[in-house]
Amino acid sequence: MKGWDFIADQYGRVGSYRYMELPNSKEQFSMMVITKDAFTGSIVDLEAIKRQDERYQRQQEAIAALDTCVAKKDPAPVLTILLDDSVRIDERKRAIPMLTAINDTCCIEPLRNHVFKDPHLQHEVNLALGQILACHYLKECPHCSELIKARAIVCKHCQREVTAD
């Protein structure tokens, strides 16, 4: 805790010690460092690892649930997979057709608010959302993005004129 002061007082130099423990062993060491940032990249954050494991577990559960989510009309696994950028791209692409099969408008907002890193994936999701809207005779207001009837000429939310598609 007071290594910087101790080294400065004792030796007249800038430095301190870091505690090091080798993974999967009982070996422990103290090592000398000369800057406050030295070897901080190797510090293991157990809470971050726990969060990462929980996220991975949710991904695996969602991937396993893809096979039954259409029959159950459950969009949660599809949304979990599509909204998590760390899921493999092939799994994300496999989930897209399930959006239209489930045909639930609750998928629209979370997917519209997500920024996809892959433009092809974004395009495929947009096409699927367009099909969902069409099945429910809805469209998005170009001004306020609220869902309105497909035949509406004035948005009920922002009161602005909406052009026919």
Side-chain angles (χ1 to χ4, degrees):
M1 293 285 292
K2 298 179 182 177
W4 296 102
D5 294 334
F6 176 78
I7 297 295
D9 292 343
Q10 195 75 15
Y11 303 105
R13 304 270 187 234
V14 174
S16 187
Y17 293 93
R18 294 263 189 265
Y19 169 78
M20 181 174 81
E21 184 176 312
L22 295 177
N24 300 323
S25 77
K26 302 275 187 209
E27 293 184 63
Q28 303 169 4
F29 302 97
S30 292
M31 61 182 171
M32 184 77 172
V33 293
I34 58 170
T35 66
K36 293 193 186 270
D37 294 328
F39 293 99
T40 57
S42 300
I43 295 174
V44 177
D45 182 354
L46 295 177
E47 287 302 314
I49 291 173
K50 183 179 175 183
R51 288 190 303 273
Q52 188 177 29
D53 287 345
E54 290 168 353
R55 179 177 170 181
Y56 179 76
Q57 187 64 36
R58 281 193 306 273
Q59 289 175 2
Q60 295 308 306
E61 290 168 2
I63 290 168
L66 275 183
D67 297 329
T68 60
C69 70
V70 173
K72 294 178 180 179
K73 294 287 187 190
D74 181 16
V78 175
L79 287 173
T80 298
I81 290 168
L82 290 175
L83 296 174
D84 190 341
D85 292 327
S86 68
V87 175
R88 289 189 352 244
I89 192 74
D90 60 322
E91 294 293 351
R92 295 176 85 191
K93 287 181 178 180
R94 185 168 78 101
I96 293 172
M98 295 177 187
L99 283 172
T100 53
I102 294 170
N103 196 23
D104 192 336
T105 58
C106 77
C107 297
I108 295 170
E109 280 304 309
L111 291 170
R112 287 284 191 229
N113 289 319
H114 185 73
V115 177
F116 290 90
K117 294 177 183 173
D118 182 343
H120 177 70
L121 193 65
Q122 175 76 62
H123 178 70
E124 294 296 318
V125 168
N126 287 341
L127 290 175
L129 294 180
Q131 291 176 344
I132 293 170
L133 289 169
C135 286
H136 290 274
Y137 304 100
L138 296 171
K139 65 182 176 182
E140 292 173 288
C141 172
H143 307 290
C144 68
S145 299
E146 290 289 342
L147 298 182
I148 56 175
K149 291 181 181 178
R151 65 178 198 267
I153 54 175
V154 174
C155 176
K156 67 180 182 179
H157 302 282
C158 68
Q159 310 305 314
R160 293 173 72 181
E161 190 173 323
V162 180
T163 59
D165 290 336

